[in-house]
Amino acid sequence: MNPADLPRSILVVGSGGREHALVQAFAASPARPRVLCAPGNAGIAADADCFPVKADDVAGLVELALREKAEFVVVGPEAPLSLGLADRLAGAGIPVYGPSAKGARLEASKTFTKRLLIKHGIPTADAAFFGETAAALDYLRSRRTPIVVKADGLAAGKGVVVAKTLKEAEAAVKGMIEGGKFGTGGRQILIEDCLEGEETSILVVVSGWEYVILPTSQDHKRIGDGDKGPNTGGMGAYSPAEVVTPALMEAIERTIVRPSVAAIASEGIDFCGTLFIGIMLTAQGPKVLEFNTRFGDPETQAVLPRLATDPLDLLWAAAKGALGGYRIKVRPGYAICVVLSAMGYPEYYPTGDAIEIPLVLPADVAVLHAGTARDAAGRLVTAGGRVLGVTAVAGSLAEAAARAYRTCESIHFASKYYRRDIGARQLRRV
Ligand code: AMP
Ligand code: GLY
């Protein structure tokens, strides 16, 4: 698209590393738009005009977009989408990238998505649905372990238990159905077969029946090196994920992406936004683990630097229903994002630690902010579990990792913690 046809002001909703990556990408667009963010964080404030409206304050965000004359809104996190932010913005005549509340159910309800996948013959783990304990426990006893128990509804990544033993699975079922452990996420549950293989994240820009697949990436969900310890929002990512060979990508597109986009459109869901497909590469072929209806964090931080296409142009084309025939250009080379978290995350962690970042960063390295803020004295301090993301691009993954890790060492805050093995699995393969 001609840069003159792109929006002149964009509001990004959210406050994490993903949103910082989007803000920087939009700020670098040849269209030179004004970039706004709500609520943003201390680092985003250097690249966008930030407004203290929370990401789940739907009415406040619509009001902000109107007042600031935002010509385009790009929504980062899932919560406002589930609350109908995209519907409300569309109602106010503001183009938005991010699905309607109906579309967001693909992330918000695991039972809804599982039924859709089964109905349309899209490969996924076999599953059964339960709303009461006795039947669920009976079913469990008829299955083999390991087995996976999932609570319906958004549970901030905590609604999935991969149970190694029957005892563990029984406890998960009781906790979810009776314990109200997962808030409104509980009650309805799914019990599904455990899939084995490597996971990959496929981000797809969707507009109705049209779609564009973004470069592959792989997240590192566990807190500890060697994929040990509890699940987190994501501790690092790299792109491309070479485990997805061209032949596998072809199979993923043919058996999963194309039928999923068609299934969603044919169910009457007018989906404009990112369909993030979590895939397990099993010996029987790729299978869907989950859908998210937004960009991944930290996958986005590793994928966007590889696009030679202007991301604003791509997302605007999606919002305008102009994705048919759209081709993206991808830069050769590799990108990595290493997340610096506060020690204790994903459980209890301190905040308010002073952060020092070198003023001059090496070429091809960027520091994206997630949980950062300014204290009363104006100092940069930690304010969340995931604090910063260090991204680097290079001709090889080894070089990208080396660059990112050198910068991780040169950043200081008292509670700094990070995984030392982002990308290691792929590096071991070469
Ligand atoms: P979900 O929120 O559905 O992606 O689940 C979170 C994580 O649980 C996934 O990223 C997988 O690591 C794991 N998981 C979910 N479903 C399964 C399954 N059927 N088999 C094995 N692991 C799974
Ligand atoms: N990195 C996984 C997610 O964004 O859900």
Side-chain angles (χ1 to χ4, degrees):
M1 227 176 268
N2 187 328
D5 297 329
L6 295 177
R8 283 160 300 176
S9 56
I10 302 129
L11 170 61
V12 175
V13 175
S15 61
R18 163 184 57 202
E19 288 76 17
H20 198 182
L22 287 165
V23 159
Q24 287 196 341
F26 297 153
S29 166
R32 309 199 121 272
R34 177 180 178 220
V35 185
L36 304 85
C37 187
N41 58 40
I44 292 176
D47 299 306
D49 296 333
C50 289
F51 296 84
V53 181
K54 292 213 173 73
D56 58 1
D57 176 1
V58 170
L61 290 167
V62 175
E63 204 246 324
L64 173 68
L66 288 169
R67 192 179 70 229
E68 294 296 324
K69 300 189 172 52
E71 294 182 356
F72 189 28
V73 179
V74 175
V75 185
E78 62 272 24
L81 297 168
S82 285
L83 294 170
L85 176 61
D87 310 75
R88 294 280 296 278
L89 288 166
I94 302 172
V96 53
Y97 182 81
S100 61
K102 209 168 153 190
R105 279 194 80 197
L106 293 163
E107 172 162 0
S109 170
K110 292 183 193 295
T111 54
F112 175 72
T113 293
K114 188 60 101 176
R115 289 199 169 92
L116 182 108
L117 293 169
I118 294 169
K119 176 174 169 191
H120 292 269
I122 297 162
T124 186
D126 284 341
F129 305 82
F130 299 95
E132 50 103 19
T133 316
L137 294 180
D138 275 348
Y139 177 78
L140 270 185
R141 289 171 194 138
S142 73
R143 308 296 292 182
R144 276 200 310 238
T145 52
I147 192 149
V148 182
V149 185
K150 298 186 175 183
D152 198 32
L154 293 175
K158 298 208 168 79
V160 176
V161 174
V162 180
K164 290 195 191 68
T165 62
L166 181 62
K167 224 173 139 190
E168 237 181 289
E170 288 174 346
V173 164
K174 287 182 192 151
M176 286 180 196
I177 299 184
E178 292 163 10
K181 226 176 157 182
F182 303 96
T184 55
R187 290 192 285 279
Q188 284 295 318
I189 65 160
L190 262 179
I191 300 180
E192 68 178 44
D193 292 352
C194 189
L195 300 177
E196 274 170 41
E198 215 168 308
E199 279 186 62
T200 185
S201 311
I202 302 290
L203 301 176
V204 188
V205 174
V206 178
S207 176
W209 293 84
E210 311 289 349
Y211 64 88
V212 169
I213 301 176
L214 296 179
T216 54
S217 60
Q218 197 166 47
D219 188 10
H220 297 62
K221 290 199 179 179
R222 306 290 186 131
I223 188 70
D225 285 3
D227 295 325
K228 301 276 183 342
N231 258 325
T232 69
M235 294 301 293
Y238 60 87
S239 173
E242 286 171 338
V243 64
V244 185
T245 58
L248 256 180
M249 192 66 218
E250 189 278 325
I252 289 171
E253 179 165 13
R254 181 170 41 81
T255 66
I256 293 177
V257 177
R258 197 177 306 145
S260 295
V261 171
I264 293 165
S266 70
E267 295 285 335
I269 301 170
D270 186 14
F271 195 101
C272 170
T274 306
L275 184 66
F276 163 146
I277 312 180
I279 290 177
M280 189 75 92
L281 303 169
T282 76
Q284 292 76 40
K287 295 190 181 187
V288 176
L289 284 171
E290 62 165 342
F291 283 157
N292 292 311
T293 60
R294 50 172 176 81
F295 281 111
D297 185 338
E299 288 90 335
T300 304
Q301 292 91 306
V303 166
L304 289 182
R306 298 198 51 235
L307 291 187
T309 300
D310 177 9
L312 178 59
D313 189 87
L314 172 64
L315 304 191
W316 182 246
K320 290 278 143 188
L323 268 196
Y326 199 102
R327 292 275 172 278
I328 52 166
K329 289 202 188 76
V330 178
R331 291 200 179 99
Y334 294 77
I336 195 167
C337 175
V338 179
V339 171
L340 303 182
S341 67
M343 185 77 81
Y345 172 77
E347 275 141 39
Y348 302 101
Y349 52 82
T351 56
D353 287 347
I355 305 172
E356 282 171 45
I357 302 174
L359 278 178
V360 181
L361 294 170
D364 296 325
V365 172
V367 176
L368 300 172
H369 289 234
T372 68
R374 297 271 167 200
D375 69 5
R379 288 182 320 164
L380 184 66
V381 295
T382 64
R386 291 190 290 178
V387 178
L388 299 167
V390 177
T391 65
V393 291
S396 70
L397 182 59
E399 182 53 32
R403 282 184 195 172
Y405 276 113
R406 273 198 295 274
T407 299
C408 290
E409 282 160 30
S410 69
I411 293 173
H412 300 289
F413 54 96
S415 54
K416 181 175 81 167
Y417 167 84
Y418 55 102
R419 277 183 65 160
R420 312 285 163 149
D421 64 345
I422 305 303
R425 197 187 299 198
Q426 178 154 311
L427 287 170
R428 274 198 301 275
R429 263 196 291 266
V430 291

